[in-house]
Amino acid sequence: MDAPFVTLTISTDAGRFVARYSEKGLAELNFPSVGRASSFHGRRRGNESQISLASSASVKDSSRRLLQVPASIRNWHQATETALKSILAGHSPKKFPPLDWTGKTEFQKAVWRAMLKIPVGRMKSYGEMAHAIGRPKAMRAVGGACGANPIPVLVPCHRVLAANRKIGGFSGGLNWKHELLAREGISL
DNA sequence: GACAGATGAAGGA
DNA sequence: TCCTTCATCTGTC
């Protein structure tokens, strides 16, 4: 039986992101759905959160309901919001919330850990990422792991490009990839 | 076990 | 250059 998830939103100048927390940390981060082809990993779970602020609740109402959220998750959410806004501003976040990768494969976690080491404003190719995790021939599998990344932006899959600086793909939509790279001062 | 995929490299036109 | 083909590796069903 899985623990319930808590869904909270983060308003940014790029739209309202939706963060989902488990008892272990940030488990998912979804792109704003309005006007974008995103709905990133919006899979429904049977045990959807009992405490959700992802609706159109007023700010006042949201603030009141936020008090129902455990203190640990409030702290994680604060860290997530700060980190997200730092990245969107093109800066390197000073603090990350704990990330919950429960149920993911070791290969995927290795790829994502390697992505976390890519500094803001820098890029790597899928081939370089494959080298970084010690599997130089697994560049295609790295692409698959990027696509399975449940926490985009914070886990910077947008900084991974195909060879020759080609844009490659992005599960949240290539528009987002372009925008995120542009915010970090990268032009293709 | 078969198939698909956000790749990369090589070869040919 | 651009396109096609093939090799490679992993995840999913």
Side-chain angles (χ1 to χ4, degrees), chain A residues 10 19-22 24-29 72-84 87 93-101 116 151 153-155:
Chain A
I10 301 172
R20 288 162 57 90
Y21 300 88
S22 71
K24 294 179 181 175
L26 177 62
E28 238 176 67
L29 183 66
S72 60
I73 292 183
R74 284 206 301 271
N75 289 335
W76 298 341
H77 187 57
Q78 183 69 49
T80 301
E81 182 171 355
T82 303
L84 179 61
I87 293 172
K94 293 182 176 60
K95 184 183 175 186
F96 273 95
L99 305 180
D100 180 9
W101 288 334
L116 285 172
I151 311 172
V153 187
L154 263 59
V155 178

Side-chain angles (χ1 to χ4, degrees), chain A residues 2 22 24 27 45 99-105 109 112:
Chain A
D2 294 337
S22 71
K24 294 179 181 175
R45 283 184 172 81
L99 305 180
D100 180 9
W101 288 334
T102 302
K104 307 301 180 184
T105 67
K109 286 187 275 192
W112 300 336

Side-chain angles (χ1 to χ4, degrees), chain A residues 25-100:
Chain A
L26 177 62
E28 238 176 67
L29 183 66
N30 294 332
F31 285 104
S33 56
V34 178
R36 306 274 185 176
S38 60
S39 72
F40 187 68
H41 282 275
R43 293 184 296 269
R44 286 270 180 260
R45 283 184 172 81
N47 58 352
E48 184 56 69
S49 64
Q50 283 78 37
I51 305 168
S52 174
L53 304 184
S55 66
S56 57
S58 69
V59 173
K60 186 177 177 182
D61 194 35
S62 295
S63 300
R64 189 165 60 241
R65 289 162 66 186
L66 186 59
L67 296 176
Q68 303 172 30
V69 176
S72 60
I73 292 183
R74 284 206 301 271
N75 289 335
W76 298 341
H77 187 57
Q78 183 69 49
T80 301
E81 182 171 355
T82 303
L84 179 61
K85 289 181 176 177
S86 293
I87 293 172
L88 290 175
H91 302 133
S92 182
K94 293 182 176 60
K95 184 183 175 186
F96 273 95
L99 305 180
D100 180 9

Side-chain angles (χ1 to χ4, degrees), chain A residues 121-136:
Chain A
R122 300 293 295 274
M123 298 172 293
K124 285 203 173 190
S125 70
Y126 294 100
E128 287 174 322
M129 293 301 296
H131 271 281
I133 61 171
R135 296 169 186 261

Side-chain angles (χ1 to χ4, degrees), chain A residues 106-119 123-139 142 146 160:
Chain A
E106 283 304 313
F107 179 82
Q108 289 173 333
K109 286 187 275 192
V111 172
W112 300 336
R113 275 193 292 266
M115 284 194 290
L116 285 172
K117 294 177 183 174
I118 305 175
M123 298 172 293
K124 285 203 173 190
S125 70
Y126 294 100
E128 287 174 322
M129 293 301 296
H131 271 281
I133 61 171
R135 296 169 186 261
K137 294 181 179 177
M139 64 283 279
V142 167
C146 290
V160 184

